[in-house]
Amino acid sequence: MSVMEAPTALAAATGEDLMTQLFSEIRERREEFGRLRHVPKEFISRLKKLGVYRAATPACFGGSGLAPSAFLQLIEKISEADGSVGWVASFGSASVYLAALPKETQAKLYADSPDLVFAGGLFPIQPATQVEGGWSVNGTWKFASGCKGADMLGVGIGAAVPGQQGSKPRTAVLPPSQVEIVDNWDVMGLTGTGSHDLRVNQQFVADEWTFIRGGVPTIDEPLYRYPTIAYAAQVLGVVNLGIARAAIDEINTMSGGRVAITGAPKLADRSYVRIEVAKAEARLRSARGFLYDTTDDVWQTILAGDPVTTEQVALLRLTAVEVARVGNEITQSMFGLAGTTAIYSSHPLQRYLRDAAVVKQHAFLGEGIYDGAGAVALGVPPMPGFI
């Protein structure tokens, strides 16, 4: 799917009128979501109707088969309305992880509906004891974004049995009734994501309800051949493209407003403002082009039946960190252009500034990703876990 074709496919997949109505409601309620510190379940059900939570569900279980670029554009547009809702919606991609579960287990997961909300607190990996038929799970995990609206929850476990200390971490999948949500999400930005801690107290999880994170999928569909960890980073990084667009649009709205209290010209009459807005527009469009061109290139490789190369995976990871960085920098720049008007806590640019900064802090989007991508480009081994 080309970048030009993606918007048409996106509108067809979700319904243009439904999208417009929902985005308007998100803008009206984003203050409420921030006060609640999570997106409530009744609104999550609205995102389900938009198709967010069936985008990565296997087609054999009723999923929509949405191409990665189309899903990324959907998250970008939601994030333009509110970064927190965009962040929560981005985990509609999490079913790519669940594809590593046994097919029989997935059939049970999607038996009632393909619109499954999965959230997880995967870190820090907690040791679990292997018992007959499964695992005894106990511990506390951080950053479970969207956990209060989830249908199923996942936690990261590692083997605590002789000879398996070096094994790859796996995820244990549990119903919310077996997990305590520790209500402690008190942060500067993305306040509505509800990224609380999860606590599990000696729960048994059968083997068939665990999977290796990023493991080989048991479903043979194109989406599950797209690099899993890279996709997980992209759906987060793209949130900052939406926030940056909202920040530029806010300056455009302000530019023809009243003269400053000091008597200075309106924003649109100041050459430095015009220059910075033009530069921001160019940088945003360039970052978007890099993201969607690279994503579509890899997707076409998959559809052709060819393996994704190490170089392609590195580029995908590079797109994620780059759009997060560029989006953050553009938002900072627009905040600066607004002057003292934007220092009031009620101003939209306040929210955009804080949300964009928090996106950039995510471990998947840190400076180390540039090192990994550079290592692959130069033909030397990247840091462990990069590919």
Side-chain angles (χ1 to χ4, degrees), residues 348-359:
L349 281 166
Q350 273 278 343
R351 177 188 301 103
Y352 303 151
L353 182 74
R354 290 182 274 109
D355 287 352
V358 172
V359 171

Side-chain angles (χ1 to χ4, degrees), residues 58 60-61 98-112 152 206-210 217-220:
C60 62
F61 296 125
L98 296 174
L101 285 166
K103 193 169 183 178
E104 296 77 11
T105 303
Q106 294 184 61
K108 295 176 183 176
L109 269 178
Y110 303 115
D112 294 332
M152 296 295 287
D207 281 324
E208 60 267 26
W209 287 94
T210 71
T218 58
I219 302 291
D220 185 19

Side-chain angles (χ1 to χ4, degrees), residues 14-29 43 46-47 49-50 81:
T14 60
E16 192 168 349
D17 289 343
L18 180 60
M19 288 175 61
T20 301
Q21 180 183 357
L22 195 66
F23 296 158
S24 177
E25 185 176 348
I26 291 172
R27 290 186 177 93
E28 291 173 0
R29 298 185 62 184
F43 196 83
R46 304 283 301 282
L47 295 176
K49 292 179 181 177
L50 193 64

Side-chain angles (χ1 to χ4, degrees), residues 40-370:
K41 261 199 166 181
E42 53 86 10
F43 196 83
I44 293 294
S45 68
R46 304 283 301 282
L47 295 176
K48 285 184 177 183
K49 292 179 181 177
L50 193 64
V52 168
Y53 294 106
R54 66 174 58 198
T57 298
C60 62
F61 296 125
S64 62
L66 204 61
S69 60
F71 183 75
L72 289 167
Q73 287 200 39
L74 177 57
I75 300 308
E76 182 184 359
K77 289 298 295 182
I78 295 172
S79 301
E80 189 177 328
D82 182 53
S84 288
V85 179
W87 188 269
V88 170
S90 77
F91 291 96
S93 66
S95 288
V96 298
Y97 287 128
L98 296 174
L101 285 166
K103 193 169 183 178
E104 296 77 11
T105 303
Q106 294 184 61
K108 295 176 183 176
L109 269 178
Y110 303 115
D112 294 332
S113 171
D115 299 301
L116 182 82
V117 183
F118 177 68
L122 303 180
F123 299 102
I125 300 297
Q126 299 287 359
T129 303
Q130 192 167 18
V131 297
E132 183 177 356
W135 302 82
S136 179
V137 178
N138 187 65
T140 301
W141 294 261
K142 301 191 73 63
F143 304 123
S145 298
C147 59
K148 289 193 173 184
D151 300 312
M152 296 295 287
L153 294 166
V155 294
I157 61 173
V161 295
Q164 293 190 22
Q165 286 81 0
S167 61
K168 291 182 178 180
R170 62 177 58 229
T171 298
V173 180
L174 303 97
S177 61
Q178 295 181 358
V179 182
E180 177 191 354
I181 294 175
V182 182
D183 197 315
N184 61 355
W185 186 242
D186 185 10
V187 290
M188 60 169 275
L190 294 181
T191 54
T193 62
S195 304
H196 304 287
D197 288 3
L198 300 180
R199 181 178 294 148
V200 176
N201 184 23
Q202 300 296 344
Q203 292 288 339
F204 171 77
V205 181
D207 281 324
E208 60 267 26
W209 287 94
T210 71
F211 62 90
I212 299 296
R213 184 169 173 269
V216 178
T218 58
I219 302 291
D220 185 19
E221 294 178 11
L223 182 59
Y224 309 113
R225 295 195 287 273
Y226 193 87
T228 308
I229 302 301
Y231 195 30
Q234 285 185 303
V235 300
L236 300 179
V238 77
V239 170
N240 262 5
L241 291 186
I243 294 173
R245 167 54 61 200
I248 293 173
D249 288 349
E250 183 63 28
I251 289 296
N252 287 343
T253 299
M254 295 174 61
S255 64
R258 63 180 176 80
V259 174
I261 59 173
T262 61
K266 293 182 291 188
L267 291 179
D269 294 333
R270 306 178 199 182
S271 62
Y272 74 89
V273 173
R274 298 194 295 267
I275 290 169
E276 286 305 311
V277 168
K279 286 181 177 180
E281 192 67 47
R283 294 177 68 197
L284 182 61
R285 290 174 180 266
S286 296
R288 290 188 80 253
F290 179 38
L291 173 71
Y292 291 114
D293 285 350
T294 305
T295 298
D296 288 338
D297 177 65
V298 174
W299 187 238
Q300 290 304 318
T301 296
I302 291 169
L303 294 181
D306 297 326
V308 177
T309 67
T310 298
E311 290 74 19
Q312 285 178 309
V313 176
L315 280 176
L316 290 176
R317 299 215 62 181
L318 185 59
T319 65
V321 67
E322 181 67 3
V323 297
R325 181 186 64 84
V326 170
N328 182 45
E329 291 177 354
I330 288 172
T331 305
Q332 289 180 341
S333 176
M334 296 303 100
F335 177 81
L337 291 180
T340 55
T341 301
I343 69 174
Y344 291 94
S345 58
S346 60
H347 198 281
L349 281 166
Q350 273 278 343
R351 177 188 301 103
Y352 303 151
L353 182 74
R354 290 182 274 109
D355 287 352
V358 172
V359 171
K360 185 63 183 68
Q361 295 293 93
H362 195 278
F364 278 0
L365 306 172
E367 290 292 305
I369 305 302
Y370 287 109

